Amino acid sequence: MIERDLYTPDHESFRQVVREFVRREVSPNMARWEEQRFVDRDSWRAAARQGVLGLPVPKEYGGLGVGDFRYQAVISEEMLSVGAISALSGWGANDNLILPYLVELGTDEQLKRWVAGFATGDTVAAIAMTEPGAGSDLRGIKTNAVRDGEDWILNGSKTFITNGIMADLVIVFAVTDPDAGSKGYSLFVVERDMPGFERGKKLNKIGIHAQDTAELFFNDVRLPSSNLLGQQGQGLAYLMQRLPRERMTIAICAQSFAESALRWTVDYVKSREAFGQRIADLQTVGFTLAELTTEVEISRAFVDRAIQALNAKTLSAVDAAKAKWWTTELQSRVIDRGLQLHGGYGYMLDYPIARAYIDTRVQTIYGGTTEVMKEIIRRDIVGR
C-alpha cells in the first residue's frame, strides 16, 4: 500500500483517543442503540467529553476551535472500523453540517444562544432541506416564511431529516419571496417547543437504525427576526456554498466504510477453508480481493487530496461531486462483494458485513444522488 501523507503525529495521537473511546463507549452500546432506534443523550455527552463531538466549536463559545477537517476524517475512520455509522451520522450532522452554518452565518448573539451546547453534547441539531415533493431539487421546496411585523410566520413540512426527533435546533430552508428566483430563499432556526413546530413519526428505514430520521411540520410557527440566519434571500447561495463540505463528509464516510469492509472480508477468507484450502487461496477470491484493494487505494488517494483542498478552502463543487458519487458507489460494490465472499455467514447480522450491507444503501442517495452528482460533473465538462 502506498504510504499516506495526510496525517501528522498530532492526528495520529488523536486517533488513539478516538480508538479508545470507540472501544469503551461505542462498541458495547451499538446493539442497544439499534434496538432503541436512537443514540441516547448520555452518549452524545460522552462523545463531546472525549473530543469526538464538538471539536469545531470556537474557543470563545466553549469549544476547541479545531477547523482542520483531517480530525473529522480520523473520527470517521475509527467509528467505521466497527461499523458505527448510525452514531457517526448523527454526530457528523452536528459538527460538519449544522455547526458551520451557525458559526459562519450567525451573529454573536445567536452564537451565544445556540453554540455552547455543541461543545458539551447537550445540543442535538438538524438541518431541514428535503421535502416530500422536493429532494435533490432544492428550488422546488414549498415551505415558506412570510413577514408579520417584526416576526416571520413559517409554514410547511420537511422529511428525511437526520436527528429530527431529538433535535433542539433545526435550520429550516424556506421560501421568503416566490418572485425573486434564486434570491427568494432564506434560512431560519427553529427551536424546540416553539408553538406550531411538530415532529411526525420516526421514519422506519432499511438501515442506520440507531440514527433517528423524521418528518417535521411547521404550522404558523412564529419566529422572531433574530431567528433569521444570515441575510434574507441568501438561503440558496448558503446551501450551495456548503454542499461540498456535506458531500465530502459523506465521501469520507463511504471511503472509510469500504476500507473496513474490505479488511473484514480479507480476515474472513484467510480464516475459512473450502475444498481443503483457505478460501483466500482460491484464484477467483484472490482476484476479487486484488480488484477491490486496488480500487479502494486509488480512491483513497483522491479523497485525501480532496480533504486537503477542503482544508485550504479550494475544493470545488465538481470535485466534491466526484468524490461523493465515486466513493459511495465503491462502498456499495465493496460491501456487496465482501458479503458474497462471506457466504452464508455474510447474511447473518452477527457479522459486521451484514449490518454494513443494510446500512450502506442510502449513501448513494442522500446528499445528492449519484445521478445528480454526475449531472454536476457533466455540466462542468460540456456546459448546460
Side-chain angles (χ1 to χ4, degrees):
M1 180 181 291
I2 297 174
E3 186 175 347
R4 298 171 68 187
D5 59 1
L6 180 67
Y7 297 122
T8 69
D10 286 344
H11 296 106
E12 296 303 336
S13 295
F14 178 67
R15 182 185 302 279
Q16 297 309 311
V17 173
V18 179
R19 185 170 294 172
E20 173 58 22
F21 173 78
V22 170
R23 183 196 67 79
R24 188 181 67 251
E25 299 285 350
V26 175
S27 293
N29 288 310
M30 285 173 59
R32 178 172 62 84
W33 294 340
E34 290 283 309
E35 183 177 355
Q36 68 188 22
R37 292 298 201 261
F38 67 94
V39 177
D40 53 82
R41 285 182 179 265
D42 284 345
S43 297
W44 282 70
R45 296 183 184 103
R49 286 195 298 270
Q50 291 300 308
V52 176
L53 179 63
L55 274 181
V57 175
K59 293 180 180 179
E60 57 268 36
Y61 302 106
L64 296 175
V66 177
D68 183 346
F69 202 75
R70 289 175 292 181
Y71 287 96
Q72 299 298 326
V74 168
I75 293 169
S76 180
E77 290 169 10
E78 293 304 315
M79 290 286 285
L80 291 174
S81 70
V82 298
I85 190 171
S86 291
L88 179 66
S89 177
W91 296 342
N94 250 39
D95 279 7
N96 299 322
L97 304 188
I98 295 96
L99 192 55
Y101 281 91
L102 296 176
V103 171
E104 294 164 13
L105 302 176
T107 64
D108 183 59
E109 184 272 335
Q110 288 175 328
L111 294 177
K112 287 177 180 177
R113 286 167 60 195
W114 294 327
V115 170
F118 284 75
T120 61
D122 289 305
T123 296
V124 178
I127 185 164
M129 293 183 276
T130 302
E131 298 187 2
S136 297
D137 179 16
L138 293 175
R139 295 174 186 265
I141 67 163
K142 302 299 182 184
T143 297
N144 65 90
V146 297
R147 277 282 193 184
D148 184 35
E150 293 298 313
D151 297 339
W152 292 87
I153 305 298
L154 179 69
N155 281 283
S157 64
K158 301 290 183 177
T159 194
F160 308 144
I161 307 305
T162 297
N163 296 340
I165 296 295
M166 295 180 65
D168 304 294
L169 300 174
V170 182
I171 297 176
V172 180
F173 180 55
V175 177
T176 46
D177 186 348
D179 298 320
S182 63
K183 295 186 181 298
Y185 306 88
S186 302
L187 300 180
F188 297 90
V189 178
V190 177
E191 300 172 63
R192 172 181 290 278
D193 298 330
M194 281 185 159
F197 172 32
E198 299 176 2
R199 302 163 206 261
K201 64 181 179 181
K202 184 184 295 185
L203 299 174
N204 190 19
K205 309 187 297 290
I206 290 175
I208 317 186
H209 293 141
Q211 178 262 304
D212 84 78
T213 305
E215 300 171 320
L216 302 179
F217 300 97
F218 309 97
N219 301 305
D220 291 331
V221 179
R222 181 172 292 275
L223 298 170
S225 58
S226 58
N227 281 47
L228 173 69
L229 185 62
Q231 296 181 14
Q232 179 183 342
Q234 294 300 306
L236 186 62
Y238 294 147
L239 294 188
M240 294 300 102
Q241 291 161 6
R242 287 158 184 81
L243 278 175
R245 182 184 180 97
E246 176 182 357
R247 287 166 180 162
M248 273 307 302
T249 299
I250 297 170
I252 292 167
C253 175
Q255 179 70 33
S256 301
F257 220 165
E259 291 178 1
S260 294
L262 181 57
R263 186 181 66 255
W264 301 332
T265 301
V266 170
D267 290 345
Y268 181 83
V269 299
K270 283 182 176 179
S271 66
R272 298 286 295 183
E273 291 191 356
F275 309 108
Q277 60 182 325
R278 298 186 309 171
I279 296 174
D281 294 326
L282 298 172
Q283 187 180 66
T284 183
V285 173
F287 279 10
T288 297
L289 295 177
E291 292 166 4
L292 297 180
T293 299
T294 302
E295 290 185 57
V296 165
E297 291 186 14
I298 290 173
S299 179
R300 167 54 71 189
F302 186 86
V303 170
D304 282 358
R305 190 179 73 181
I307 292 171
Q308 292 170 325
L310 181 62
N311 265 351
K313 302 186 187 307
T314 60
L315 180 68
S316 69
V318 174
D319 282 344
K322 291 174 182 176
K324 197 273 178 185
W325 92 256
W326 176 261
T327 56
T328 55
E329 294 288 349
L330 174 65
Q331 173 192 358
S332 297
R333 191 161 60 251
V334 170
I335 290 174
D336 181 73
R337 295 174 77 178
L339 188 150
Q340 183 72 20
L341 293 182
H342 277 71
Y345 288 104
Y347 206 62
M348 301 296 109
L349 287 173
D350 292 336
Y351 283 75
I353 195 74
R355 298 192 297 272
Y357 185 81
I358 61 175
D359 285 339
T360 195
R361 187 60 186 88
V362 73
Q363 291 278 88
T364 61
I365 298 172
Y366 62 14
T369 64
T370 293
E371 292 74 18
V372 170
M373 298 303 97
K374 290 181 179 179
E375 177 63 15
I376 291 170
I377 299 163
R378 183 197 68 80
R379 290 180 180 180
D380 181 66
I381 298 169
V382 301
R384 291 178 179 269

